[in-house]
């Protein structure tokens, strides 16, 4: 089976054009593809659309908030567009308040369901989340079995950046605990999926088919994270800033 | 009712008061911040299954410092522990749990709750952005939506309102609110004050409340047992 | 955590009332809950609605086709309502052709997606499958991004009957290979989920949380299949007919 | 073109002719019955990933008798083998693969194919029921819908039609058809016969066909290489 292992993060992101739409996985540090983000920051692509849980964070060594601070993002689809603490106003907030960058905010369940719809050939779906709120103001609603639902459409992406624990060379993936989060859904939803691997890349045949979390058919490029210097996290060796 | 020890309830007492009513086997989702204190309550023989948006089902207490498991956080990005019997699902399946009605109770923080059951917890005045997270899904999906919040803002303005002034998170979903001044059920007639912080009078609580309170004929001092 | 293990299939199905809606898992023999079906046949509930891939089969020791033959089913939602070989016309076909029983036929992907919608609080969804066919004739359609979709609604159920390989006493499940099929989705979609276990029922804590295929929160009753007499399949000890 | 060895193609030749064009790394879904013969073609260095509706990704050849793995069947409920690198998903995820456009080619059997790309393979005349399985999802989701079927019915009636007479499985999706008489592409102008069973003349094939055939100027004998 095809060997999808690349040796460098820079090589993995080299072809990403300006204007690309990128899903970025992770929920807090677990599953955050900080090495891929670091490489994308170095690579220079701009005018990006990012689909991620929250786009304002600069807390990891390389995070989407850094791309935002560098003015390389034109739009973010997310479930958090402002810090819960107004005192911690971010560049993300400044740019969205000034209109330099657009943020489309939605319920987290809607965010992931829109990704899944894109993955699954579902044209649109009805959810109750956000009904009666300002987020649903210009959206189509429908009463089904006496309850009001709002119509939501798929979120497609050119690329998904995700992080997993183990991969085989074909890209079958296993995640460690809550590293999983959005990542399997993004892998299915994006045209091209890039994965940074925290643990080992093993030979094809070494993973129990019953316990593959993301089948390799959804994965395009896998890159092993170089050995970490120290600390709780596997830090990116090439993360910058 | 005596005013001898008049003191607003502390946050742990507020959350414990809600947690007291969790039933054995319930699946609970605790919002980030104050609501997580519910898990400190001594449930004795009752088994509560904590679920968080990032796909973690059945987690245990916060990890001790130095004993964190790197890839194990709850929805508030706190390092937690695994209990036997826990399971991990991806985010779409996690919201199947949430929107699909499997969560028996969610306890959320809020800025405002209205007497019609609306609440507002994602956006503060004058800001374009906000933080929704899983709250809108939990609000429509969980079997019970309970709120834990201070009775008034830092500026002393009421948070129990006739109608929410801030953009709402969901419409007509809140069933119960605990504040530092008491325990309130949302009824078709409005807020029913069932329990009151020891030392306070109903009139004092009403004075700190915009909505008209219905005082339970069985009004009792709020107490954690 | 709650111990959900029951000791007999008869006990497990005892409370199922006439008129119940039951999802029946399995795809071919793997994952088919033949012991639960055997017990339901003995139990006598009638006027049932069955949601399953195909409802006509009598090939296993106890299968939905037997319930149909016993005239205990009023409606079947399925992806196969007739054998591909007209020469093998079944009682299922006789009853649907005569109008004694109703069958609602749909694409297999629509069948499972309607279950998932029920599980997930999705009010309805748009799929392209069946557009332009007689199955879509009285259904609402919508053009999204230039393609026509048909609107489909959730399929709810009172009970799911499924089969897995390993369970812990709380009902966390693992399936063996293609035993998985519809079963995890049915477990999420039904109010009460009954599982027959082909392998072992283990203590809580004995299953890697990363590799739980169906979390125990979706499961209500688990029953170990008694030792099999012989043969390729784990045959039901109490299956009848 | 000679008529010396006039004989309809056998089913393996028909399927091998389609399989010849599978590309390295393709994900293929083969319908029950004749289409499964595609997997007998010698793909040499090409790696084909077989996917089936029941959630099996990357399976291998049919299991030998006595070596069946009990819980391992394909969508035709045949016992198959596992290849290294295979993965199991549940049915909803399996149809994400199918409807989501991940399947590079599906080869299906059919009763009829029309020159507008419609096909009919789920219901026969006079019956209320039918068997759809995954065909309608594959028909709209797979990148390529190819059909393998006999050129005429057992009664000698044509199956390549102007319009389907039977209830259709999907509208305008078929791109290629192989029959025992030749290989046909569905074009905006209708069926283009590109290859013909050795020994047959285009006129003979047309006589067995309701739709008007366009004969490729490069018409060649159908041959498996």
């Amino acid at each position: 089976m095809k060997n999808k292992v690349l040796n460098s993060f820079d090589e993995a992101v080299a072809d990403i054009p300006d204007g690309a739409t990128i899903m970025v996985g992770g929920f807090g540090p677990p599953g955050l593809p900080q090495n891929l983000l670091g490489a994308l920051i170095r690579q220079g692509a701009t005018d990006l659309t990012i689909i991620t849980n929250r786009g304002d964070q600069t807390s990891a060594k390389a995070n989407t908030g850094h791309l935002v601070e560098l003015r390389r993002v034109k739009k973010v689809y997310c479930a958090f567009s402002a810090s819960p603490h107004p005192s911690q106003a971010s560049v993300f907030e400044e740019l969205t308040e000034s209109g330099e960058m657009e943020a489309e905010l939605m319920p987290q369940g809607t965010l992931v369901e829109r990704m899944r719809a894109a993955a699954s050939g579902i044209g649109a779906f009805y959810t109750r989340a956000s009904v009666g709120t300002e987020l649903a103001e210009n959206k189509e609603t429908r009463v089904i079995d006496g309850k009001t639902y709002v119509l939501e459409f798929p979120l497609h992406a050119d690329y998904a950046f995700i992080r997993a624990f183990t991969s085989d060379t074909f890209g079958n993936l296993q995640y460690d605990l809550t590293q999983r989060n959005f990542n399997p859904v993004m892998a299915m939803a994006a045209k091209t999926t890039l994965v940074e691997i925290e643990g080992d890349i093993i030979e094809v045949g070494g993973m129990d088919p019953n316990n593959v979390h993301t089948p390799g058919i959804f994965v395009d490029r896998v890159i092993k994270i170089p050995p970490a210097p120290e600390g709780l996290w596997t830090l990116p060796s090439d993360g910058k800033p | 009712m005596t005013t001898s020890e008049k003191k607003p309830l502390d946050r742990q007492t507020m959350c414990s008061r809600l947690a007291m009513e969790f039933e054995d086997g319930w699946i609970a989702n605790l919002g980030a911040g104050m609501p997580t204190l519910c898990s400190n309550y001594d449930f004795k023989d009752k088994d509560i299954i904590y679920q968080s948006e990032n796909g973690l089902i059945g987690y245990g207490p916060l990890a001790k410092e130095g004993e964190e498991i790197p890839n194990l956080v709850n929805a508030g990005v706190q390092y937690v522990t695994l209990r036997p019997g826990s399971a991990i699902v991806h985010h779409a399946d996690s919201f199947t749990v949430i929107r699909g009605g499997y969560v028996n109770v969610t306890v959320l923080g809020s800025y405002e709750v209205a007497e019609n059951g609306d609440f507002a917890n994602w956006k503060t005045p004058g800001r374009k952005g906000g933080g929704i997270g899983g709250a809108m899904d939990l609000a429509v999906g969980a079997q019970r939506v309970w709120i834990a919040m201070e009775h008034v803002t830092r500026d002393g303005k009421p948070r129990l309102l006739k109608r929410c002034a801030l953009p709402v998170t969901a419409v007509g979903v809140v069933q119960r609110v605990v504040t530092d001044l008491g325990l309130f059920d949302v009824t078709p007639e409005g807020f029913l004050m069932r329990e009151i912080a020891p030392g306070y009078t109903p009139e004092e609580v009403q004075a700190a409340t915009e909505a008209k309170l219905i005082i339970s004929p069985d009004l009792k001092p709020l107490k954690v047992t």
Side-chain angles (χ1 to χ4, degrees), chain A, chain B:
Chain A
M1 296 177 104
K2 188 176 176 185
N3 186 321
K4 299 174 183 173
V5 180
L6 297 181
N7 290 316
S8 98
F9 288 102
D10 293 312
E11 181 189 357
V13 304
D15 65 350
I16 295 180
D18 291 351
T21 296
I22 307 176
M23 291 177 170
V24 177
F27 188 99
L32 179 75
Q34 51 184 334
N35 293 276
L36 287 162
L37 287 166
L40 184 66
I41 290 167
R42 286 194 298 279
Q43 188 256 30
T46 190
D47 211 24
L48 301 168
T49 297
I50 303 286
I51 303 173
T52 194
N53 186 44
R54 56 188 301 171
D56 59 340
Q57 293 192 313
T58 53
S59 48
K61 204 139 184 189
N63 209 330
T64 46
H66 297 113
L67 282 166
V68 169
E69 291 186 352
L70 292 163
R71 305 331 196 235
R72 305 237 305 261
V73 178
K74 71 174 171 197
K75 179 158 185 179
V76 179
Y77 296 86
C78 58
F80 292 93
S81 64
S83 163
H85 301 286
S87 59
Q88 299 168 2
S90 61
V91 174
F92 185 107
E93 275 195 79
E94 288 167 28
L95 295 179
T96 49
E97 302 221 346
S98 71
E100 280 178 81
M101 188 180 81
E102 194 183 345
E104 183 173 325
L105 185 63
M106 70 197 85
Q108 203 171 88
T110 300
L111 179 64
V112 71
E113 192 68 12
R114 290 179 67 184
M115 295 175 193
R116 185 189 174 275
S120 306
I122 299 299
F125 61 90
Y126 287 97
T127 177
R128 293 175 61 213
S130 90
V131 167
T133 75
E134 68 175 43
L135 296 181
E137 267 166 23
N138 296 309
K139 290 182 179 169
E140 205 173 313
T141 59
R142 182 180 182 116
V143 176
I144 300 168
D145 277 342
K147 290 176 180 162
T148 306
Y149 291 78
V150 61
L151 185 64
E152 297 284 356
F153 292 89
L155 279 175
H156 294 274
D158 302 311
Y159 298 91
F161 283 12
I162 65 172
R163 178 171 169 135
F165 199 82
T166 307
S167 177
D168 67 20
T169 57
F170 181 64
N172 286 305
L173 304 181
Q174 288 175 328
Y175 305 93
D176 177 41
L177 300 171
T178 65
Q179 194 179 51
R180 193 175 315 195
N181 62 73
F182 287 93
N183 293 358
V185 183
M186 290 178 171
M188 296 193 293
K191 283 196 206 86
T192 301
T193 295
L194 286 63
V195 192
E196 57 179 67
I197 299 298
E198 194 172 314
D200 291 322
I201 299 178
I202 63 177
E203 290 306 305
V204 159
M207 202 177 285
D208 180 353
N210 283 311
N211 295 329
V212 170
H213 301 152
T214 290
I217 59 168
F218 296 122
V219 170
D220 300 279
R221 303 171 193 171
V222 293
I223 311 97
K224 169 90 181 88
I225 301 169
E230 59 176 345
L232 186 64
W233 298 106
T234 306
L235 299 166
S237 69
D238 53 3
K240 175 171 167 286
Chain B
M1 206 155 289
T2 162
T3 56
S4 60
E5 343 168 30
K6 181 168 177 170
K7 203 172 65 160
L9 303 169
D10 63 36
R11 296 162 67 120
Q12 183 60 59
T13 301
M14 290 161 59
C15 288
S16 292
R17 179 60 192 84
L18 293 180
M20 263 170 62
E21 304 202 13
F22 289 12
E23 293 179 16
D24 187 37
W26 271 14
I27 300 165
N29 181 301
L30 305 178
M34 190 185 341
T36 58
L37 296 174
C38 291
S39 64
N40 292 338
Y41 177 73
D42 178 6
F43 287 99
K44 301 190 184 78
D45 288 348
K46 286 193 286 191
D47 183 48
I48 309 300
I49 300 164
Y50 297 107
Q51 180 270 354
S52 70
E53 285 92 319
N54 57 336
L56 182 51
I57 300 170
Y59 61 94
L62 292 183
K64 295 198 181 97
E65 199 166 328
E67 295 179 14
E68 296 90 347
I69 299 171
N71 285 320
L72 190 66
V73 300
N74 65 13
V77 195
Q78 297 171 297
Y79 292 98
V80 292
T81 52
L82 280 180
R83 285 181 60 199
S86 59
I88 308 289
V89 297
H90 63 50
H91 233 82
D93 282 349
S94 185
F95 280 85
T96 290
V97 178
I98 290 170
R99 275 192 321 259
Y102 279 95
V103 174
N104 297 93
V105 65
T106 185
V107 180
L108 299 171
S110 193
Y111 304 130
E112 301 175 349
V113 179
E115 63 185 8
N116 61 356
D118 296 0
F119 75 112
N121 80 346
W122 69 276
K123 194 178 184 182
T124 47
R127 295 173 91 190
K128 196 163 177 178
I132 298 173
M136 288 189 183
D137 304 281
L138 283 160
V140 298
Q143 294 172 25
R144 295 167 188 82
V145 179
W146 293 355
I147 302 287
M149 66 177 186
E150 310 293 334
H151 202 88
V152 298
T153 66
R154 278 176 215 176
D155 305 337
K157 291 193 186 126
R159 294 179 185 270
L160 290 183
L161 305 175
K162 289 195 176 108
R163 290 293 177 269
C164 287
L166 292 169
V168 300
T169 304
V171 170
V173 297
V174 177
Q175 292 156 318
R176 183 164 296 170
V177 185
V178 72
T179 74
D180 48 340
L181 299 187
L183 181 73
F184 308 85
D185 278 1
V186 177
T187 74
E189 291 72 38
F191 289 115
L192 172 70
M193 182 160 66
R194 291 174 46 208
E195 299 182 11
I196 188 167
Y200 280 83
T201 66
E203 294 71 26
E204 286 170 315
V205 178
Q206 179 65 71
T209 308
E210 184 199 274
K212 175 89 182 89
L213 297 175
I214 304 163
I215 312 301
S216 168
D218 296 327
L219 184 72
K220 287 183 289 216
L222 188 148
K223 215 174 82 183
V224 171
T225 55

